Amino acid sequence: MEGRTADDAAYWLALAAPAWRDAVRVVAIDMCTIYASAVRRLLPGAQLVVDLFHVVHLAVKMTGDVRRRVVRGKYGRRGRSGDPEYGVKGLLVRNLEHLSPGQFAKVMAALGGDPGGQEIAAAWIGKEKLRHVLNLRVTGSPVRARRPRPALCLLRLVRPERRHPRAAVPGQDGIPVGK
């Protein structure tokens, strides 16, 4: 399809046979209002749904936006090498299950030291929770986490006295204790 306007998308749909357009029941889009407008015009009986990839992509972008806003507020400038938040920016876009225990500990250590870091951690955990919910939606069953649970880690950052119920000593569960 040429172009990225509603008219371009509508033209592309208009070229399809009427029987094909009538048979379309569901259209997955990437949250672009241009495509939504064209689909509503030429496929009025079709249900619009958002592609799950783009939902997760938006959550990843939001995590980066929160990190950049917090860093600018904390330092009065963009993040740079040597800033703890900058040092984990590449890890924040990765899936939790793809982080090694050392990388996970690095994220928790970098984000657990101050309220700004906890705000970034909350955004990252929100992204991971969204991924988990979408995975349940698609597969119908949860994927077993191999790493410490992010919600418990966030609780540890906010309330350091809390610990995993099976841990005899704070920090024994592999989740760093916040300050």
Side-chain angles (χ1 to χ4, degrees):
M1 181 177 88
E2 293 288 326
R4 284 194 49 93
T5 67
D7 289 336
D8 292 330
Y11 177 75
W12 184 84
L13 288 170
L15 292 177
W20 179 85
R21 288 195 314 261
D22 292 340
V24 174
R25 297 288 170 242
V26 178
V27 177
I29 63 170
D30 64 356
M31 294 185 282
C32 178
T33 58
I34 292 168
Y35 298 135
S37 171
V39 168
R40 284 191 194 102
R41 263 195 290 166
L42 285 151
L43 304 173
Q47 179 182 6
L48 279 172
V49 296
V50 178
D51 180 10
L52 298 181
F53 168 83
H54 289 94
V55 173
V56 172
H57 179 74
L58 189 62
V60 170
K61 181 183 178 309
M62 176 271 316
T63 303
D65 292 346
V66 169
R67 183 192 57 78
R68 282 185 290 277
R69 179 180 46 76
V70 166
V71 166
R72 183 156 308 272
K74 183 176 179 179
Y75 301 110
R77 57 171 169 73
R78 293 175 56 178
R80 55 174 82 138
S81 180
D83 297 342
E85 302 86 358
Y86 187 83
V88 297
K89 77 175 193 169
L91 298 176
L92 296 176
V93 300
R94 295 179 60 192
N95 298 337
L96 176 62
E97 64 272 13
H98 296 138
L99 295 179
S100 70
Q103 291 169 326
F104 180 79
K106 180 179 179 180
V107 170
M108 290 291 97
L111 302 181
D114 63 8
Q118 291 174 11
E119 190 174 345
I120 298 168
W124 179 59
I125 290 166
K127 178 212 33 138
E128 290 300 322
K129 289 291 187 182
L130 174 68
R131 286 184 57 253
H132 181 73
V133 167
L134 293 177
N135 188 46
L136 287 174
R137 160 78 176 72
V138 172
T139 65
S141 65
V143 173
R144 291 189 177 266
R146 296 182 306 221
R147 307 280 184 263
R149 292 188 359 228
L152 184 60
C153 295
L154 179 61
L155 180 62
R156 177 66 52 76
L157 291 171
V158 177
R159 293 174 44 199
E161 71 280 0
R162 291 291 305 257
R163 58 186 177 85
H164 193 280
R166 291 188 299 260
V169 179
Q172 179 182 349
D173 52 8
I175 302 171
V177 177
K179 294 180 177 43

